[in-house]
Amino acid sequence: MSEQYVLDLQEVAETLVAVVGGKAAHLGGLSRIEGIRVPGGFCVTTDAFRRITAEAPSIDDHLDQLSRVNPDDREAIRTLSARMRRTIEGIAIPGDLAAEITRALARLGEQAAYAVRSSATAEDLPTASFAGQQDTYLNVVGPTAILQHISRCWASLFTERAVTYRRRGGIDHRTVHMAVVVQQMVFPHAAGILFTADPVTGNRKVATVDAGFGLGEALVSGLVNPDVFRVRHGEVVAKTIAAKQRAVHALPAGGTREVAVDSRRQEQPALTDAQAVRLVELGRRIEAHFGRPQDIEWCLADDGFQIVQSRPITTLFPIPESGDQENHVYLSVGHQQMMTDPMRPLGVSVWQLTAMAPMHEAGGRLFVDATRRLASPASRAALLDVVGRGDPLIRDALETVLERGDFVPSLPDAGPGGPPARGASAPIATDPAIVTELIERSRTSIAALERDIRTRTGPALFDFLLETFEEHKRVLADPLSMQAIMAGMEATWWLNDTLREWLGEKNAADTLTLSAPDNVTSEMGLALLDVADVIRPHPEVVAFLRGVEDIEYAEDAAFLDELAKLAGGTEARDAIESYLDRYGMRCVGEIDITRPRWRERPTTLVPVILDNVRNFEPGAAERRFEQGRQKARQKEQDVLSRLRALPDGDRKADETKRMIDRVRTFIGYREYPKYGIISRYFLYKRALLAEAERLVRAGVLPEQEDIFYLTFQELHDVVRSHQVDDHLIQQRKDAFRSYHALTPPRVLTSDGEALTGAYRRDDAPAGALIGLPVSAGTIEGRARVILDMAQADLEAGDILVTAFTDPSWSPLFVGIAGLVTEVGGLMTHGAVIAREYGLPAVVGVERATRLIRDGQRIRVHGTDGYVEILGLPR
């Protein structure tokens, strides 16, 4: 195909992103929407950019160097990117290319004023806006100046900010090319930005208009505060008129300058309400055309609105598809499962196929539709009570929606029931044999699965797995298991509520549950202390493990083979292998079947083992468990003796003793069903990866892990047909990468509104970070902000600060003094294990990992639910 250097905007199709870049492709699309006016212009295509960069062979060397630079090495990026810009700006535009650009200018008016604007191929995309990463030049007059500014736009592909943005987004610099839009200038009375969805709340029904006098550059650059109009259903529902002291105007000879706004006009609105409503109508038309909410730059000139840019709003959390136009309220599954990271498609679909309730995907996360439960008064009260005890922020967010009165429909109480009401006594005896029986049932079911799955391959494996998923759900729904879980939770609630009333003591159950029996997650943390005991006496093994973090093993398990060659290495390997036999199916984010398990990547455990070797003495696991048991026993005796001294004390003490026995019998089992689920998941995963290996050998897939970007049903189809859509897999990989930038809300409505909720408390000191108290006590120490368990480097007395903790984090809990997380509730895994180990803990602290800096001294108030930042270490 012959190279094409200049295209009129009217000729540009939206699909031509590779030729004209994201901005120009959107402008071409805009120019074909009925009723939307776009200033005339043309695009200098990426063919021209490639031709220019081919003139300088040194650019290839610069690109090689850039690709190797650490994204955090700002000095190196600054130096290299400046060198690339100078090189590109120094290349003379060939005569035939300059002539073609000049001819396009002559058609529009050679001495008219133009905006010269960058349009990169990785820009204004559905998953990454790249807003402000490249350059725009306004009011450029004359062919010489326009050619010069086109060169500057090409060079702006390598501004420091653009290079850093691409590096952080995992985008290869070589895959991005630059086109340039040359557009007739509009000299507006007013200009600004229109968001067709509220960029703060995410509400798709509310549009926000920012407006100021003169060119929109004054708003984009932050020179002035804009007037803000919020428009819903064709009317202005809120507005703020700013004092607009400055504006940017075009100069007759070219360029722009700041000017002072006449004091009599500063407080005048830049738009009338009617104009704001009209602009939003145009925005809705543009949104409908592109199929998603838009961030639109507009100008108001004498004869009406003109649109100079439209790009997708990439920061909005997507809305689950419901298939209807009804209102829906969705609850985040990730906030309950302690895994708010995005999941890959296979992980999403396997969780959906094995979950007890229908689940909806959006942004790589799962949500449950709570609308029907909220619609009838009885199930609403029960739902609010249970979620409120677990996570008050979710309750507050739901109440915010309900207070609006008209969003959730109202149904009679005959609707589907909610979870059991608090305080309803579970109809099972306080008998440890029940827990023993439940654990044995789970083990038997998993052993049968392990035996039967071995012989299944090909399409027969998928038929078998679909049957197995039904067994999986049957095990999860075992009524006795549900009763045991509820018995432990209700006994905890009873003790906390009643002892607060009778003795004035907060969170008394926290000490009473220390070292409760049958808690597989807390046992997992203590068992890694035993592994450290085996390793500690062998200096060669310890030294080898210290080096493991710096070595890339072709297969992670290979390091265990290397270990066995050292003095004491066989014992060390056997101890780690034994640990992996029992807990190797676990990992961070374990509800996503695609995440690497400890058995697949045992080096993940090395930093924690080394921390345990350094920070503990031999026999720490047994001592620690026994100390917890003794503390719980002493607390029980203390509580009962204080109760007996009260009026009607014997009855109160007897009732409390029954509840203490009940909580200690059942609260440990709370962790077991998840262990069973993850044990089953690992068996499913191994079977699916074996299929993937066959597909790779057959040349159907390039890599085993490509199956993670297919749903279970799609993978089934690939195994049957031996055909795969490579383009779909690449799309899914790109989408998954983009989902990491999104923060999932606790509650999401079908209007797109993301609700976080608030604690609404005034019992904490000024400046304290508010959260949910889940494990009593107060501790002061060094904050270690750790987002990846494999990066752990803890000293005795450190306080772990992280986004969320699922069971896989519990090996870290034995070596810390306290816990702070952004996500969590009273009965989530991190809270249960914190209580087991007697760690003061506050969870649900919004933005904790950003507000607390690594190394700061903090004080965790686990009884009252707040964190104080005391300053950097002395």
Side-chain angles (χ1 to χ4, degrees):
M1 194 177 86
S2 63
E3 291 175 332
Q4 194 166 17
Y5 296 131
V6 176
L7 281 175
D8 190 280
L9 279 181
Q10 297 285 342
E11 302 174 276
V12 170
E14 287 163 54
T15 53
L16 292 179
V17 172
V19 177
V20 298
K23 187 176 294 165
H26 270 78
L27 285 168
L30 283 166
S31 65
R32 282 190 287 281
I33 304 172
E34 191 179 341
I36 302 299
R37 294 177 57 208
V38 177
F42 60 89
C43 180
V44 182
T45 68
T46 54
D47 285 342
F49 173 77
R50 272 190 286 264
R51 180 169 167 189
I52 288 294
T53 52
E55 302 273 327
S58 65
I59 285 177
D60 258 356
D61 296 335
H62 296 336
L63 283 170
D64 282 342
Q65 291 173 54
L66 267 183
S67 66
R68 292 193 293 269
V69 169
N70 184 320
D72 296 320
D73 188 347
R74 294 181 62 181
E75 191 55 45
I77 288 174
R78 186 178 298 124
T79 304
L80 281 168
S81 54
R83 197 178 298 157
M84 292 202 73
R85 289 197 304 278
R86 282 196 302 274
T87 303
I88 291 169
E89 285 187 45
I91 298 168
I93 298 178
D96 60 326
L97 175 52
E100 199 171 334
I101 294 168
T102 307
R103 280 196 298 275
L105 279 171
R107 288 193 293 272
L108 291 166
E110 210 167 79
Q111 291 307 311
Y114 292 88
V116 182
R117 314 170 74 200
S118 309
S119 180
T121 52
E123 183 175 18
D124 297 351
L125 306 177
T127 57
S129 77
F130 286 78
Q133 299 307 313
Q134 283 90 34
D135 289 348
T136 287
Y137 301 95
L138 300 177
N139 200 33
V140 184
V141 178
T144 304
I146 284 167
L147 288 170
Q148 182 185 20
H149 284 86
I150 288 170
S151 280
R152 287 182 180 169
C153 283
W154 286 331
S156 78
L157 189 63
F158 297 101
T159 61
E160 183 187 343
R161 62 186 182 273
V163 167
T164 303
Y165 193 100
R166 288 195 294 273
R167 288 286 283 126
R168 290 191 188 285
I171 293 168
D172 183 349
H173 301 299
R174 292 176 190 278
T175 64
V176 184
H177 302 288
M178 180 67 84
V180 182
V181 176
V182 180
Q183 232 178 338
Q184 289 171 322
M185 269 296 289
V186 179
F187 301 101
H189 313 304
I193 314 288
L194 159 63
F195 297 98
T196 64
D198 187 318
V200 177
T201 68
N203 195 322
R204 308 311 200 257
K205 300 282 177 68
V206 176
T208 302
V209 178
D210 289 3
F213 294 128
L215 293 167
E217 196 62 20
L219 303 190
V220 174
S221 64
L223 181 65
V224 296
N225 290 327
D227 296 339
V228 181
F229 299 82
R230 287 164 59 82
V231 178
R232 184 184 175 104
H233 299 319
E235 64 174 313
V236 175
V237 292
K239 65 181 169 183
T240 306
I241 306 304
K244 298 170 288 295
Q245 296 172 344
R246 313 287 294 168
V248 174
H249 285 290
L251 294 169
T256 62
R257 73 167 180 189
E258 282 180 37
V259 297
V261 175
D262 187 301
S263 59
R264 289 165 298 184
R265 290 185 65 217
Q266 287 179 6
E267 304 278 351
Q268 285 180 7
L271 295 178
T272 65
D273 284 11
Q275 286 171 329
V277 169
R278 167 70 184 140
L279 177 60
V280 171
E281 285 172 3
L282 296 175
R284 292 283 178 228
R285 209 175 285 182
I286 293 168
E287 178 183 68
H289 175 83
F290 289 119
R292 54 171 41 97
Q294 298 288 301
D295 162 357
I296 297 165
E297 290 182 28
W298 57 269
C299 297
L300 177 61
D302 297 327
D303 49 356
F305 288 106
Q306 296 202 49
I307 305 300
V308 294
Q309 188 167 337
S310 185
R311 61 166 72 95
I313 308 176
T314 58
T315 54
L316 299 174
F317 200 87
I319 306 169
E321 289 182 17
S322 64
D324 60 39
Q325 298 302 307
E326 304 297 317
N327 288 347
H328 295 270
V329 180
Y330 299 101
L331 300 187
S332 163
V333 173
H335 284 81
Q336 296 157 52
Q337 289 294 334
M338 297 297 92
M339 213 294 272
T340 53
D341 291 345
M343 297 167 69
R344 293 174 181 82
L346 186 64
V348 167
S349 64
V350 170
W351 190 264
Q352 286 172 318
L353 287 165
T354 53
M356 300 303 298
M359 294 198 175
H360 308 264
E361 184 273 339
R365 278 77 167 193
L366 287 164
F367 294 86
V368 173
D369 188 344
T371 318
R372 283 186 67 82
R373 275 187 169 177
L374 291 170
S376 82
S379 61
R380 179 190 313 143
L383 177 65
L384 289 174
D385 189 57
V386 168
V387 300
R389 283 187 161 272
D391 186 341
L393 292 177
I394 293 181
R395 177 175 185 139
D396 185 76
L398 290 175
E399 285 175 338
T400 301
V401 176
L402 290 166
E403 279 162 12
R404 293 176 186 157
D406 57 352
F407 191 82
V408 176
S410 210
L411 295 174
D413 269 342
R422 177 173 67 83
S425 184
I428 56 171
T430 303
D431 181 359
I434 293 172
V435 172
T436 306
E437 182 191 339
L438 285 167
I439 290 171
E440 192 49 44
R441 281 188 202 176
S442 175
R443 283 181 182 153
T444 303
S445 173
I446 290 164
L449 169 62
E450 189 167 12
R451 182 189 65 236
D452 296 343
I453 204 168
R454 283 181 190 146
T455 56
R456 306 306 207 279
T457 60
L461 169 67
F462 288 82
D463 296 336
F464 171 77
L465 283 172
L466 286 171
E467 289 171 26
T468 298
F469 293 164
E470 294 309 307
E471 162 69 1
H472 180 121
K473 288 193 275 192
R474 189 196 64 71
V475 170
L476 270 185
D478 182 337
L480 189 62
S481 178
M482 294 290 204
Q483 287 169 338
I485 291 167
M486 287 309 297
M489 288 166 65
E490 285 166 0
T492 305
W493 296 336
W494 187 95
L495 286 167
N496 280 337
D497 289 352
T498 309
L499 296 180
R500 186 165 189 170
E501 181 189 334
W502 288 346
L503 297 176
E505 185 170 340
K506 291 181 185 174
N507 303 331
D510 294 359
T511 309
L512 293 166
T513 53
L514 286 171
S515 298
D518 298 312
N519 187 318
V520 70
T521 308
S522 66
E523 287 165 8
M524 178 169 73
L526 296 173
L528 209 56
L529 288 174
D530 292 334
V531 173
D533 285 355
V534 175
I535 287 167
R536 193 178 291 106
H538 304 292
E540 254 191 272
V541 172
V542 173
F544 173 79
L545 291 178
R546 285 197 184 115
V548 159
E549 295 167 271
D550 306 320
I551 298 170
E552 280 291 324
Y553 286 94
E555 289 181 32
D556 236 56
F559 104 88
L560 291 172
D561 296 332
E562 289 296 312
L563 188 60
K565 298 172 185 174
L566 306 171
T570 305
E571 297 95 309
R573 184 194 61 188
D574 291 349
I576 294 171
E577 286 280 8
S578 175
Y579 185 86
L580 292 172
D581 287 344
R582 182 140 166 75
Y583 306 110
M585 76 295 290
R586 309 220 83 148
C587 66
V588 173
E590 60 192 11
I591 69 168
D592 180 354
I593 197 173
T594 72
R595 287 288 193 100
R597 311 283 133 176
W598 291 343
R599 170 52 82 184
E600 296 167 319
R601 199 171 289 172
T603 49
T604 306
L605 295 170
V606 168
V608 193
I609 293 170
L610 288 171
D611 284 348
N612 289 349
V613 167
R614 186 175 67 244
N615 295 333
F616 291 92
E617 294 296 320
E622 193 176 339
R623 272 198 310 280
R624 190 173 187 123
F625 187 78
E626 187 52 34
Q627 284 163 1
R629 220 157 57 86
Q630 293 296 345
K631 274 189 195 169
R633 188 176 294 150
Q634 287 160 12
K635 182 69 175 178
E636 177 181 328
Q637 289 166 355
D638 170 59
V639 163
L640 296 179
S641 67
R642 285 158 62 200
L643 286 173
R644 288 195 181 97
L646 297 176
D648 197 18
D650 286 345
R651 180 190 63 80
K652 288 174 177 170
D654 289 347
E655 205 170 337
T656 300
K657 171 64 175 157
R658 280 198 301 277
M659 283 300 179
I660 292 171
D661 290 347
R662 197 163 178 76
V663 82
R664 290 195 67 80
T665 298
F666 292 116
I667 202 64
Y669 177 72
R670 160 78 181 78
E671 291 293 297
Y672 202 87
K674 181 78 167 279
Y675 176 78
I677 291 170
I678 303 307
S679 299
R680 299 177 76 88
Y681 264 33
F682 190 38
L683 296 172
Y684 306 155
K685 182 182 186 180
R686 286 203 299 207
L688 292 172
L689 281 174
E691 284 305 310
E693 182 55 35
R694 282 188 272 277
L695 292 170
V696 170
R697 284 202 302 270
V700 178
L701 287 176
E703 296 177 17
Q704 256 189 310
E705 293 193 356
D706 283 349
I707 66 166
F708 296 162
Y709 298 93
L710 299 170
T711 66
F712 183 83
Q713 187 53 56
E714 288 165 349
L715 178 54
H716 191 176
D717 294 341
V718 170
V719 168
R720 262 200 305 252
S721 67
H722 267 218
Q723 291 183 313
V724 71
D725 182 344
D726 296 327
H727 181 62
L728 174 68
I729 288 176
Q730 189 54 53
Q731 271 185 327
R732 296 267 178 81
K733 287 179 178 179
D734 292 342
F736 177 69
R737 191 183 300 119
S738 75
Y739 294 155
H740 283 87
L742 300 173
T743 301
R746 283 174 165 80
V747 173
L748 180 67
T749 73
S750 48
D751 283 354
E753 187 175 5
L755 296 110
T756 300
Y759 285 107
R760 308 192 191 284
R761 283 170 37 193
D762 54 10
D763 58 349
L769 308 181
I770 306 293
L772 180 66
V774 296
S775 186
T778 300
I779 193 73
E780 184 179 314
R782 179 179 70 153
R784 293 309 319 273
V785 181
I786 297 172
L787 300 178
D788 178 355
M789 187 177 141
Q791 303 303 314
D793 180 16
L794 295 162
E795 299 287 347
D798 282 349
I799 296 168
L800 174 64
V801 180
T802 191
F804 58 79
T805 60
D806 60 11
S808 71
W809 285 75
S810 67
L812 287 187
F813 283 25
V814 297
I816 58 175
L819 174 70
V820 179
T821 68
E822 294 179 341
V823 175
L826 193 63
M827 284 296 167
T828 49
H829 302 278
V832 171
I833 304 308
R835 289 194 291 273
E836 279 270 326
Y837 289 164
L839 300 176
V842 180
V843 302
V845 180
E846 279 292 294
R847 301 192 305 126
T849 59
R850 279 164 283 182
L851 296 172
I852 300 170
R853 286 171 24 223
D854 189 49
Q856 280 185 312
R857 287 197 71 75
I858 62 173
R859 188 180 296 129
V860 177
H861 295 263
T863 307
D864 295 311
Y866 62 89
V867 180
E868 291 178 282
I869 298 175
L870 306 175
L872 289 168
R874 287 185 289 278

